[in-house]
Amino acid sequence: MTPAELSRTVLRSVRGAVEERELSVPVPARIVVQPPPRPGCGDYASNVALQLAKPAGRPAREVAEILRKRLAGTAGIDRVEIAGPGFLNFTLGDGALVALVRDVLAQGTAYGDRSAGNGPVADRASADSVSTGRASAGRFGPGARAAVVGEVLERIGAAAGRTGRADGHPALVPVLEDLATLTARLGTDEARWILLRPAAHDPVRVPERPVQRESNPRFRVQYAHARTRALVRNAADLGFLSEPGGVGAPAADGSGAEFRPAPASAHALHTLLAGHPSVVEAAARLRAPDRLVRHLEATADAFFRWHDDCPPLPVGEQKPLAVHRARLALAEATGTVLANGLRLLGISAPEHL
């Protein structure tokens, strides 16, 4: 279940409460759900009850309870809890994670990119970044940073389904070095990453040389993608393929369940994969490619944490099980999201690293 799907589900619960006269409020056009500000508060949160409390003339927690009862038992939602003055916290069930993985794998390059397969805007490689960047630089100011940001914003805008050139552009802190000099010194991928990573009002920190270790966020993201591809290759050598399913450890506690619930690290990764399309849209709307950069970093970090909790490949003499196929599918979906995001930034997604 993606944030957009959960938002529509919550909106239906509000509409149902109004139609059945449990609430007397105007039905909002849309409802915002987003990851909670801290761990332990579910997968998503919404302040819809606080927004509706005043027009309803009722306490926010009372409104939240009306909505909670309506949402309890909804397919894909495991728990709905009320927190603080009336926030709704949602914990998704494992079925929602499985459905998301299946959706990401089915969409492939089109996940989070409405322009995928539509020609050079979607497929433009970073190798021609100097020439395309020069074409965009005039609209974003002089210099290497304006060139790369202009090019990437055109690609992100197309991926978000925005047609034509957007009005306005970010006021960028310029970089003294030209693009060709940066590329020669750092390589294309590192040069583009360091130009795109800071917010528009922040300066660019140019390293002396690229660092090929996990302390470098660009390397970490590319390494995460390469790791997902290696897992697929290694699984093929062991004779099994990916199949979305439960990623929790096989149950051995006599409960009768086939698998234990997915760990928190799996839900955290799920939230980031589900949020990828909305991050692309926000980056286009706000003219802020750094949002996509930071999202890829968070996704890579979440992947490594989950990978440590839930090894996708059998260990030792263990035979491949359904849980390994499911974990491989989640790793493969993560690789898809990382590759799609890197492509929008004009940065390579290596198969080996």
Side-chain angles (χ1 to χ4, degrees):
M1 180 176 288
T2 66
E5 291 168 340
L6 181 57
S7 174
R8 290 192 292 269
T9 299
V10 178
L11 183 59
R12 285 194 295 270
S13 74
V14 173
R15 188 177 292 115
V18 170
E19 290 173 352
E20 296 182 19
R21 299 185 179 181
E22 288 184 283
L23 290 174
S24 179
V25 295
V27 177
R30 62 186 295 266
I31 289 172
V32 176
V33 296
Q34 55 192 7
R38 58 185 179 277
C41 298
D43 297 313
Y44 295 101
S46 176
N47 64 350
V48 59
L50 282 80
Q51 294 176 336
L52 297 178
K54 185 174 181 180
R58 303 170 77 166
R61 287 187 65 92
E62 191 174 307
V63 175
E65 178 60 20
I66 291 172
L67 300 179
R68 187 197 67 77
K69 289 180 178 178
R70 286 184 162 272
L71 290 162
T74 300
I77 299 177
D78 188 44
R79 294 193 311 276
V80 184
E81 298 170 309
I82 301 172
F87 292 100
L88 286 171
N89 291 343
F90 302 93
T91 299
L92 303 184
D94 289 355
L97 191 153
V98 175
L100 173 74
V101 170
R102 187 173 287 114
D103 187 40
V104 173
L105 295 179
Q107 292 192 44
T109 58
Y111 185 70
D113 186 352
R114 300 180 191 176
S115 73
N118 289 341
V121 173
D123 301 329
R124 186 183 301 146
S126 59
D128 67 353
S129 61
V130 174
S131 59
T132 56
R134 284 172 182 162
S136 300
R139 296 192 297 119
F140 293 86
R145 189 179 188 187
V148 172
V149 169
E151 172 215 323
V152 169
L153 282 176
E154 288 184 12
R155 188 182 290 118
I156 289 176
R162 294 173 176 263
T163 57
R165 293 184 172 182
D167 296 330
H169 57 78
L172 300 167
V173 176
V175 176
L176 296 179
E177 293 92 338
D178 62 62
L179 187 50
T181 299
L182 286 173
T183 300
R185 188 168 107 204
L186 302 174
T188 300
D189 286 351
E190 182 74 2
R192 293 174 70 84
W193 188 273
I194 62 111
L195 293 172
L196 293 166
R197 189 174 190 260
H201 57 273
D202 290 333
V204 171
R205 300 181 185 277
V206 181
E208 287 297 320
R209 60 185 182 277
V211 179
Q212 295 292 93
R213 63 172 68 106
E214 291 186 35
S215 59
N216 180 343
R218 185 270 311 163
F219 175 83
R220 200 160 63 245
V221 170
Q222 290 182 311
Y223 178 54
H225 175 266
R227 180 60 183 153
T228 68
R229 301 309 303 156
L231 288 169
V232 173
R233 293 192 300 271
N234 293 340
D237 290 342
L238 292 173
F240 74 97
L241 301 174
S242 66
E243 176 61 37
V247 298
D253 54 7
S255 64
E258 186 176 2
F259 297 104
R260 296 190 182 98
S265 58
H267 283 276
L269 181 57
H270 168 280
T271 299
L272 288 161
L273 300 184
H276 175 70
S278 62
V279 169
V280 172
E281 194 283 328
R285 174 170 43 85
L286 299 173
R287 317 293 283 158
D290 58 288
R291 285 180 170 251
L292 178 56
V293 173
R294 292 195 298 273
H295 181 76
L296 294 179
E297 292 179 12
T299 301
D301 291 343
F303 166 73
F304 287 125
R305 287 192 293 270
W306 167 76
H307 180 281
D308 290 343
D309 286 345
C310 302
L313 300 180
V315 178
E317 298 299 318
Q318 188 179 31
K319 299 294 185 182
L321 303 172
V323 69
H324 296 118
R325 293 192 291 272
R327 291 174 181 176
L328 182 65
L330 179 52
E332 195 173 359
T334 302
T336 296
V337 168
L338 293 174
N340 291 355
L342 287 167
R343 186 180 65 252
L344 292 178
L345 299 176
I347 295 173
S348 67
E351 294 280 318
H352 303 83
L353 200 61

